[in-house]
Amino acid sequence: MIKVDLITGFLGSGKTTFLKLYAKYFISQGLKIGILENDYGAVNVDMLLLSELRGESCELEMVAGGCDADCHRRRFKTKLIAMAMSGYDRVIIEPSGIFDVDEFFDVVRDEPLDNWYEIGNVITIVDARLEDKLSSASDFFLASQIANAGIIVLSRTQLTDTAGINGTKEHLKSAAASAKLEIDVDSLCFDKPWDSLTEEDFKKISESSYRTRSYIKKITTDDSGYKTVYFLELPMKLEGLKQKIQTLFSDSDFGKIFRAKGFFFDNDTWFQFNATKYDFELSKMPVGQQVFIVIGENLDEAKIKDYMSS
């Protein structure tokens, strides 16, 4: 049977960065990998970020969002059926940061997928500098994402200290308590910097499996208040972009923004950027798509568009 792993985590936690490293580990073992980007929004920037992995040993697939939960589930199932015929040794799924993990279990365990797929690991990525104050909706999503985790991999540990890491663990414990989730956060957390991960580390993560834990489920993606705003062909320039993005995060008039990402073309070069409240990552790309995506709560789409177009 085909092993299928879920790499989940809250918005901007670093799932795509980890997925690159995780997939390369399996490719180095001689396995054929299928990666499924299962996104909440209708435009998937992460597919472009993962394009360097595409080759004889790795293929990329996508399930587009932009529809209700039932429609999205049907698309998800249909794509997995098609991928089961492609000769993969392992399929790795990276969903949106507001993905309902129960959907993964429901779909994979449903006929006919249960004849072809075996659940391998549920890996939850959490930023080691997790914001102190999140909405109740965000905390419940956090709880749902760690509820079935075999391991919680902390990202960006090199950018904080022991107190910051412990604060993140305490936040996870609080979110779990609010959802009546019984889980040993301390024993599940893996907090080694990613630039020093060894083959043994990846072996440990790849054998972490998953758990079945009960919790109180209060919200789904359809009623959570989250929104994805995306703009195609929005003119953006390298000069001043970081300052503009930082303003979006700091000014509540635009809404509660968790992540901004996209591609733009300037000075005969494609650039991609990925931003959270604390980080702004920018790099050159060989290819791109003129797109700007903002994810958050109570977003004012008109104000964001006007500001970014000014």
Side-chain angles (χ1 to χ4, degrees):
M1 298 180 76
I2 306 167
K3 289 275 191 179
V4 56
D5 295 344
L6 181 72
I7 298 179
T8 188
F10 197 55
L11 297 161
S13 60
K15 296 188 302 298
T16 304
T17 300
F18 178 79
L19 174 54
K20 282 186 181 181
L21 300 172
Y22 191 63
K24 287 178 179 178
Y25 165 73
F26 287 119
I27 293 170
S28 72
Q29 304 297 307
L31 300 183
K32 184 177 181 181
I33 304 300
I35 296 174
L36 178 57
E37 287 288 315
N38 184 21
D39 211 347
Y40 178 65
V43 178
N44 199 318
V45 169
D46 293 337
M47 283 285 286
L48 289 170
L49 300 179
L50 294 169
S51 60
E52 67 182 70
L53 295 175
R54 195 188 299 270
E56 291 185 2
S57 299
C58 182
E59 279 297 333
L60 309 178
E61 300 286 349
M62 183 183 83
V63 175
C67 59
D68 61 37
D70 288 338
C71 171
H72 186 269
R73 184 173 299 197
R74 288 194 300 272
R75 293 180 180 180
F76 184 26
K77 183 176 180 178
T78 300
K79 181 62 72 173
L80 282 174
I81 290 173
M83 293 180 74
M85 311 302 170
S86 300
Y88 297 121
D89 298 301
R90 202 169 197 113
V91 169
I92 306 171
I93 300 172
E94 181 196 8
S96 157
I98 50 175
F99 178 71
D100 183 352
V101 178
D102 287 343
E103 179 180 330
F104 168 74
F105 286 95
D106 291 344
V107 170
V108 175
R109 287 173 172 167
D110 195 15
E111 294 183 344
L113 294 177
D114 59 346
N115 294 315
W116 305 320
Y117 288 102
E118 175 187 1
I119 297 174
N121 307 300
V122 175
I123 301 167
T124 303
I125 310 299
V126 176
D127 193 326
R129 306 160 305 159
L130 190 63
E131 190 173 342
D132 289 336
K133 295 182 179 179
L134 294 174
S135 68
S136 59
S138 295
D139 275 340
F140 272 101
F141 269 118
L142 276 174
S144 72
Q145 288 167 349
I146 65 174
N148 301 111
I151 192 168
I152 300 171
V153 179
L154 298 185
S155 63
R156 306 182 179 99
T157 55
Q158 74 278 10
L159 300 179
T160 186
D161 53 18
T162 301
I165 292 173
N166 288 338
T168 292
K169 292 179 180 178
E170 290 304 313
H171 190 145
L172 292 176
K173 293 174 187 177
S174 176
S178 296
K180 306 299 182 184
L181 168 65
E182 294 186 6
I183 184 171
D184 187 349
V185 169
D186 291 320
S187 68
L188 287 173
C189 281
F190 181 87
D191 58 9
K192 188 174 181 178
W194 292 359
D195 60 1
S196 60
L197 294 179
T198 66
E199 185 170 322
E200 285 301 311
D201 293 327
F202 281 111
K203 186 175 187 296
K204 175 182 178 180
I205 294 170
S206 70
E207 296 175 351
S208 58
S209 191
Y210 65 96
R211 306 292 184 273
T212 301
R213 305 182 182 94
S214 63
Y215 64 99
I216 297 174
K217 186 174 181 180
K218 292 188 176 181
I219 55 175
T220 66
T221 53
D222 282 350
D223 58 15
S224 64
Y226 287 102
K227 185 177 182 181
T228 299
V229 177
Y230 56 92
F231 307 98
L232 298 176
E233 307 303 327
L234 184 72
M236 289 183 286
K237 296 293 183 182
L238 182 59
E239 183 178 359
L241 179 64
K242 181 178 180 179
Q243 290 72 26
K244 277 198 166 188
I245 299 299
Q246 289 174 336
T247 299
L248 289 180
F249 280 99
S250 62
D251 191 338
S252 60
D253 286 345
F254 296 111
K256 176 69 172 179
I257 296 175
F258 291 108
R259 192 180 184 191
K261 56 183 179 178
F263 286 81
F264 64 97
F265 193 71
D266 191 20
N267 296 324
D268 296 322
T269 304
W270 279 107
F271 294 92
Q272 72 92 10
F273 66 91
N274 192 353
T276 64
K277 181 178 179 181
Y278 302 106
D279 297 301
F280 182 84
E281 300 171 358
L282 180 76
S283 60
K284 295 180 180 179
M285 298 289 289
V287 295
Q289 176 187 2
Q290 194 85 4
V291 58
F292 175 57
I293 300 176
V294 177
I295 308 172
E297 296 174 305
N298 305 312
L299 300 182
D300 191 321
E301 183 173 351
K303 284 186 177 180
I304 293 172
K305 183 177 182 179
D306 289 344
Y307 176 68
M308 292 302 297
S309 300
S310 62

